[in-house]
Amino acid sequence: MIKFANNSLADHFLTKEELKSACPAAFKTEPTNPKVSDRYVQANTETVVDDLAKLGWYPVLAKQCRTNKKSSGIRSLHMIAFQNPDVKIAKIDKDGGEIVDSWPRIILTNSHDGFNSFKFLVGMFRLVCSNGLIVGDNEMVNMSIKHINYDFEALRDIVKTAIEQVPNIVCQMNSMKNTILFEDDKIELAKSVVKIRKGVEDDEKFEIDEETIMDILDPQRKEDKGDDLWTVFNICQEKMIKGEYSDIGSNNKPRKQRKITSIKKDIDFNQKLWAIATKFIPSETVA
C-alpha cells in the first residue's frame, strides 16, 4: 500500500499527446537550425522517450525554451523529466504502509539545432512541496551522448549510472537531515542562495536586508518547520525557483521576484545550490 504525502501528480506519467503539447520541440524530425553542417546527425528525442520507457522510466514533466526574434525559432532546447514507479525513497509508517517521500528522476535535455548533445542529470522530486531538485556535485558527473553516437545500449549505461548515484544522494540527504543549523548558519545559507540567484560572485560586495532573509527562511507549510539543513535547504530552493519571496528594490520597497523559467538557469541554480548546501554538512556527520 502506497500513501502519497499530498495530492501531487508525481505518479502521473505524460502521454505522448500531453508530451507533444508541452514540448513540441522534442518531436522535431529535422534540424531546426538551417546552418548545421551536412555531417550533422539528428537523433530524435522521441526515440529516447520510447527507449527510456523500455527501461521503466516515463515522462512526468516537460518544457522547452522560448524562442525570440534573434533565434527565429532556431534554438530548440528542451527538458524532460522521467520517473520510474519502482524507484522511490520511502519509509514505513506505524500502520505498515509505505509513505513515499520523494522520487528520483532522470532529467534529459536536448536540442535539434546542433548546439547540444543528449545530456542526462539526476534529479529528485519532493512530494511535500511538489518541487523538483536537480542534484549536482563533483561526485555526480553529468552524463551525455552525442547524437551521432546514440544507441539503446549507450542509454542503458546512462540509466544504470543514474540509478547507481541514488544511494549516494540519499546518503547526502540523510546527512543534511542530521545537520542542525544555528540562526547564523541559516542566514549565511539564505545569503548564499540569493547570490547564486542574482549571479553574484563570492568576492563581489553584496548586501541583503534582514527582511528579505526572513522572508526566504519563512516556511510556507507545517511540514517545512525545522532547523535541519535538509528542511532549510528545501525552503530556500523552493522560494528561489518559484519566486515566492520579495526583495527590496532600489526604491526601498518590497519587490516580488519572478520564478525561474529558463531551463539552463533552473539547472545551473539547482546544481550550485546543492553544492553550497552540502558544504554545511560537518565532515564527521554520519548519515
Side-chain angles (χ1 to χ4, degrees):
M1 178 179 64
I2 296 178
K3 296 193 297 186
F4 294 96
N6 60 9
N7 292 324
S8 165
L9 294 179
D11 57 331
H12 171 71
F13 301 118
L14 300 177
T15 64
K16 274 289 185 70
E17 290 73 22
E18 291 171 325
L19 190 59
K20 196 167 188 176
S21 175
C23 190
F27 293 82
K28 296 290 184 181
T29 57
E30 298 292 335
T32 57
N33 182 1
K35 296 182 180 180
V36 295
S37 166
D38 293 338
R39 294 177 295 175
Y40 174 73
V41 176
Q42 175 166 317
N44 196 310
T45 298
E46 183 181 9
T47 301
V48 184
V49 173
D50 292 338
D51 285 348
L52 279 170
K54 296 174 187 175
L55 297 170
W57 294 80
Y58 308 97
V60 289
L61 173 69
K63 63 180 179 179
Q64 64 184 55
C65 68
R66 297 177 180 177
T67 57
N68 54 45
K69 293 181 180 179
K70 291 183 179 180
S71 67
S72 301
I74 291 175
R75 299 302 298 269
S76 55
L77 180 66
H78 48 279
M79 179 183 79
I80 303 176
F82 298 84
Q83 284 178 196
N84 185 318
D86 297 321
V87 180
K88 54 187 176 289
I89 297 173
K91 61 183 180 181
I92 304 300
D93 65 13
K94 61 181 181 180
D95 299 320
E98 188 180 58
I99 301 176
V100 177
D101 174 76
S102 51
W103 297 91
R105 284 181 169 178
I106 293 176
I107 312 295
L108 163 68
T109 63
N110 185 38
S111 68
H112 298 140
D113 49 31
F115 294 111
N116 297 277
S117 304
F118 289 111
K119 292 185 179 179
F120 300 85
L121 306 103
V122 177
M124 194 69 64
F125 182 85
R126 185 170 175 249
L127 285 169
V128 70
C129 60
S130 299
N131 205 32
L133 306 170
I134 296 173
V135 177
D137 63 23
N138 292 334
E139 297 180 9
M140 300 169 193
V141 180
N142 300 348
M143 302 156 283
S144 65
I145 305 175
K146 292 183 178 180
H147 284 208
I148 196 171
N149 294 329
Y150 177 79
D151 61 36
F152 184 74
E153 290 306 314
L155 181 66
R156 187 193 296 274
D157 289 341
I158 290 287
V159 172
K160 180 176 181 291
T161 301
I163 294 174
E164 288 173 348
Q165 290 182 4
V166 172
N168 184 41
I169 296 171
V170 174
C171 181
Q172 289 194 330
M173 287 170 56
N174 289 334
S175 293
M176 288 187 191
K177 292 176 182 179
N178 292 332
T179 300
I180 302 302
L181 298 181
F182 295 104
E183 197 64 25
D184 288 346
D185 297 323
K186 294 180 184 179
I187 293 172
E188 182 182 348
L189 178 57
K191 286 183 176 179
S192 297
V193 168
V194 177
K195 288 177 71 173
I196 295 172
R197 167 80 194 245
K198 292 183 176 293
V200 178
E201 299 296 332
D202 287 338
D203 57 352
E204 290 184 53
K205 185 177 180 181
F206 178 76
E207 298 292 336
I208 181 171
D209 62 282
E210 183 178 351
E211 185 178 347
T212 298
I213 292 176
M214 292 302 102
D215 188 14
I216 293 169
L217 294 173
D218 183 36
Q220 300 188 71
R221 57 185 71 83
K222 64 180 182 179
E223 293 89 349
D224 280 334
K225 290 184 178 180
D227 298 318
D228 62 279
L229 175 58
W230 177 246
T231 298
V232 179
F233 161 73
N234 276 278
I235 292 171
C236 292
Q237 191 266 0
E238 183 180 8
K239 291 285 183 76
M240 293 296 114
I241 293 292
K242 295 183 177 180
E244 295 176 340
Y245 76 102
S246 295
D247 196 357
I248 302 298
S250 57
N251 58 359
N252 291 324
K253 293 183 179 180
R255 180 182 56 188
K256 185 74 173 178
Q257 297 299 298
R258 296 180 179 179
K259 65 180 180 179
I260 297 177
T261 57
S262 163
I263 293 174
K264 288 189 174 181
K265 287 182 179 179
D266 190 326
I267 292 172
D268 182 64
F269 172 79
N270 268 287
Q271 291 183 315
K272 288 180 177 178
L273 176 57
W274 182 273
I276 287 292
T278 53
K279 290 181 180 179
F280 283 82
I281 302 174
S283 56
E284 68 275 9
T285 298
V286 179

